[in-house]
Amino acid sequence: MALPWYMNMKKSEFWSTMIMFALHVVLFPVLIGVVVIMWPDLLTDTQLNLIYYCTSAVLTLLLLGKFLRTQLDPLLDRLPGNIITFFIGWGIYFALALIVGVVVTWLGISDGNPNDAAIDDMLKQDRNSIIAMTVILAPIVEECIFRGGFFCAFYRKNRYFAYVLSIVLFSVYHVWQYAFAAQDLSYLLYAVSYIPAAFSLCWVYEKTGSIWTSIFFHMSFNAYALAVTM
C-alpha cells in the first residue's frame, strides 16, 4: 500500500527507529535493572527513569530530527482538520476504554497495574520530573518508535497488520519489564488496558498523516491519566 509523501519514512529513518526500539525498549531498561541490583542506593527510581527518558529523547532528536521537521508540514497545512481528528480520537479512546474496562474487570485485573503503581510511587518522590517525563519526553520517543517506525513501515504491506503490530508492541512495552522481573507472565494481561490508547494513536496518525498529531494526542492522554491519578 502506497503512503502519502507526508506519512512516510526514509529507510535510514526507519532503521533509526529500530535502533531506538532496541535501546529504549530493551537495552536501557536492562541497564537500569543492573544499576538497581548492583547499586541500590545510587539513584532513586525517579532519577533513573528521568535519565532514561532524557537519553532516549536526545537520541530521538539526533537520529530523527529531520523526520520530525518534515512532519510539521502536514500538521500545519491541514491544521483545522487535524484538530477535529484529534478530538474524534478522544471519542474513540473513551468508547474503547469502556469496552476494555469490562474486559479487564472480567479478567480480574481492573486494579494493580504495576506500571501505574510505579508512576504513583515516583510522583511522590518528584512530581515535576515525572510530569515532564510522562507528558513531554515519553510521547516524543514512543510515537517515533511505535507509530513513526512500526506502524508506518508495515502500513505499506498491510494496514490491518500495521495496526495490530503497533498496538501489541506498544501495549506490551508498558508491562513486559514487570513480567520479566517477577518471572510471572500473568503481568502481561495488564497490556490489555493500553489497547484503547494504542488504537487511538494509530488512528490519529493515519488520518492526519503527521506524527506530531499523535505526539500531541499522546501528551494530552498522559496528562489526563496523571490528572486522574493525582
Side-chain angles (χ1 to χ4, degrees):
M1 182 182 293
L3 285 170
W5 70 269
Y6 51 77
M7 192 181 158
N8 205 351
M9 266 191 165
K10 295 178 181 177
K11 242 179 208 183
S12 60
E13 292 170 339
F14 167 74
W15 287 113
S16 292
T17 64
M18 295 303 99
I19 291 171
M20 284 305 307
F21 178 77
L23 293 174
H24 183 75
V25 178
V26 182
L27 182 59
F28 289 167
V30 170
L31 290 176
I32 288 174
V34 170
V35 170
V36 169
I37 292 171
M38 296 188 67
W39 303 284
D41 299 320
L42 180 63
L43 296 167
T44 66
D45 290 342
T46 301
Q47 291 169 334
L48 283 169
N49 276 276
L50 188 60
I51 293 170
Y52 164 47
Y53 275 99
C54 282
T55 303
S56 291
V58 169
L59 288 174
T60 298
L61 293 175
L62 289 174
L63 293 172
L64 296 167
K66 189 174 180 181
F67 169 73
L68 289 167
R69 166 61 190 88
T70 59
Q71 289 283 294
L72 284 171
D73 293 334
L75 172 70
L76 300 175
D77 290 347
R78 296 182 296 277
L79 188 58
N82 289 343
I83 292 173
I84 293 172
T85 301
F86 178 93
F87 286 107
I88 293 174
W90 267 105
I92 292 172
Y93 165 75
F94 282 121
L96 290 175
L98 287 174
I99 297 171
V100 170
V102 174
V103 173
V104 297
T105 300
W106 176 72
L107 290 172
I109 58 169
S110 54
D111 296 313
N113 185 317
N115 192 51
D116 291 345
I119 292 174
D120 287 344
D121 289 340
M122 287 187 288
L123 276 170
K124 295 171 185 174
Q125 295 175 13
D126 189 339
R127 177 176 170 178
N128 291 335
S129 293
I130 294 305
I131 291 174
M133 181 186 78
T134 306
V135 178
I136 299 173
L137 301 177
I140 294 173
V141 175
E142 293 169 11
E143 289 311 298
C144 283
I145 294 172
F146 295 105
R147 254 59 64 183
F150 287 104
F151 185 71
C152 227
F154 289 93
Y155 194 96
R156 297 184 186 94
K157 306 295 183 182
N158 187 295
R159 175 176 179 259
Y160 301 105
F161 180 73
Y163 264 94
V164 171
L165 181 66
S166 181
I167 290 168
V168 169
L169 289 176
F170 179 78
S171 300
V172 172
Y173 153 72
H174 284 86
V175 296
W176 79 267
Q177 298 172 51
Y178 306 102
F180 179 77
Q183 296 294 293
D184 186 352
L185 291 178
S186 67
Y187 278 94
L188 295 178
L189 290 173
Y190 288 102
V192 174
S193 62
Y194 295 94
I195 291 176
F199 179 89
S200 301
L201 287 163
C202 288
W203 184 86
V204 165
Y205 180 40
E206 179 188 28
K207 296 304 179 184
T208 65
S210 174
I211 197 69
W212 283 106
T213 315
S214 63
I215 287 173
F216 289 136
F217 187 90
H218 198 154
M219 287 178 172
S220 69
F221 173 79
N222 282 2
Y224 165 77
L226 283 179
V228 170
T229 300
M230 293 188 294

